[in-house]
Amino acid sequence: MVGSNSSNEFDRNTNMVVMELKDICQLMNKQKLERLASNSDNMNDAERIVYNVIHSKQNMGIWMADIKRETTLPKSMIKKSIKMLQTKGEIKEVVNIKNKSKKHYMAAGFEPADEITGGSWYSEGKLDQEYIFSLRQVCLNYVSRNVVANRDGILEFINQGGYFSGTTTQEIDQILGNLVLDDKIIEVKSTGYGDYEKFPVGRICYRCKSKGGVNNGEGKIGAMASIPCGVCPRINLCSPDSFISPQTCELYQKWLDF
């Protein structure tokens, strides 16, 4: 009898939670519809058409030329609509690293995708060389001091020390790969013995190229160090057909001009 009462009470509580969640979802949907209706009422016909096209692209945004093609509106009307939508805070202009000279627009409720901004290595459309250099030095110093290190240990050290905000495992992997290409460190697999006793057998680890560590290893310049690609941790994403390519890289073009 006690078990039956407990079961009934659990069912009642579960039903109450489900009903509350349904009410919350209905309220959120209602608020979303009201917000969309409010936005729509705040626009004329041309603005609404332009806004709907921009909003449909979500976090990828859209070029001015593509807006003209999809709306078939006159260019002057599109420009006027975009200006009004920006004034009303409905859309924003974002920097697209593929072509910074072209106007690129996005609905205000979205944040640009990495394909647009270049990811965490870019700040306001420019390669954040200071961040890349600093992260390289922290990783290199950590490997040198610990003789052998792995990605997870380096990331934990960075996060605990508060050196940078929001550094990811992918970023550390790219920096370590870059240091390997630059001949500063070597990639090895743990044997589980000696210097590697802290790491499981087969785990990818890193150690300084030279026996003397950072200070003695800085004299040798790696094969990739003389060109901008050598300090770009996104080199593995770079190709002629990619959103990151030699054709769109300002640093590479400057190096060629030099």
Side-chain angles (χ1 to χ4, degrees):
M1 191 73 176
V2 174
S4 177
N5 290 336
S6 298
S7 176
N8 291 337
E9 174 120 14
F10 176 79
D11 290 340
R12 283 196 298 272
N13 291 336
T14 301
N15 290 334
M16 288 176 63
V17 171
V18 171
M19 292 300 295
E20 288 177 0
L21 288 174
K22 286 183 178 179
D23 291 340
I24 292 173
C25 290
Q26 289 176 354
L27 178 60
M28 291 176 66
N29 289 332
K30 181 180 179 182
Q31 290 175 340
K32 182 177 181 180
L33 291 172
E34 289 175 349
R35 185 167 62 254
L36 291 174
S38 176
N39 288 347
S40 180
D41 292 341
N42 197 30
M43 305 173 192
N44 60 34
D45 290 341
E47 291 169 4
R48 189 178 300 108
I49 292 172
V50 172
Y51 175 80
N52 287 339
V53 169
I54 296 174
H55 188 274
S56 69
K57 306 306 177 184
Q58 299 184 18
N59 64 350
M60 292 301 296
I62 185 172
W63 304 110
M64 167 72 85
D66 291 335
I67 297 174
K68 185 176 186 302
R69 190 186 71 254
E70 292 196 25
T71 63
T72 68
L73 294 172
K75 189 173 182 179
S76 59
M77 187 176 291
I78 293 174
K79 282 187 171 182
K80 183 178 180 181
S81 297
I82 286 176
K83 185 176 181 180
M84 291 303 299
L85 289 170
Q86 285 182 294
T87 301
K88 296 173 182 178
E90 301 294 347
I91 65 171
K92 57 188 176 183
E93 185 176 342
V94 295
V95 177
N96 189 326
I97 63 168
K98 295 179 185 177
N99 195 326
K100 299 175 186 177
S101 63
K102 289 185 178 181
K103 300 285 187 180
H104 201 85
Y105 298 97
M106 185 174 296
F110 297 101
E111 290 300 322
D114 285 351
E115 290 88 341
I116 302 299
T117 65
S120 57
W121 301 122
Y122 283 77
S123 176
E124 297 180 354
K126 295 181 179 180
L127 187 66
D128 194 344
Q129 296 184 69
E130 182 178 352
Y131 173 56
I132 294 171
F133 176 79
S134 299
L135 188 54
R136 273 171 56 93
Q137 288 304 115
V138 170
C139 291
L140 188 56
N141 289 336
Y142 183 88
V143 174
S144 177
R145 286 198 304 270
N146 290 273
V147 183
V148 176
N150 70 344
R151 185 267 314 276
D152 294 337
I154 294 172
L155 182 61
E156 182 180 0
F157 171 75
I158 289 173
N159 289 336
Q160 289 182 351
Y163 291 95
F164 309 104
S165 175
T167 301
T168 65
T169 55
Q170 183 181 13
E171 290 174 347
I172 298 298
D173 282 337
Q174 290 174 345
I175 288 292
L176 291 171
N178 173 253
L179 288 170
V180 170
L181 285 174
D182 219 17
D183 218 21
K184 300 297 184 184
I185 61 176
I186 57 175
E187 180 181 303
V188 293
K189 287 186 178 181
S190 172
T191 61
Y193 299 98
D195 292 338
Y196 303 96
E197 63 181 359
K198 295 187 298 183
F199 308 101
V201 175
R203 179 71 56 85
I204 296 296
C205 301
Y206 300 88
R207 63 186 308 152
C208 282
K209 177 88 175 189
S210 67
K211 189 174 180 180
V214 174
N215 292 333
N216 292 335
E218 286 294 327
K220 185 178 179 181
I221 299 177
M224 294 290 289
S226 62
I227 60 175
C229 311
V231 295
C232 180
R234 296 182 73 82
I235 189 172
N236 60 325
L237 299 178
C238 184
S239 70
D241 299 326
S242 174
F243 67 93
I244 297 177
S245 70
Q247 290 83 359
T248 60
C249 179
E250 292 182 354
L251 294 177
Y252 186 68
Q253 292 301 321
K254 288 179 180 179
W255 179 77
L256 287 176
D257 292 339
F258 179 77

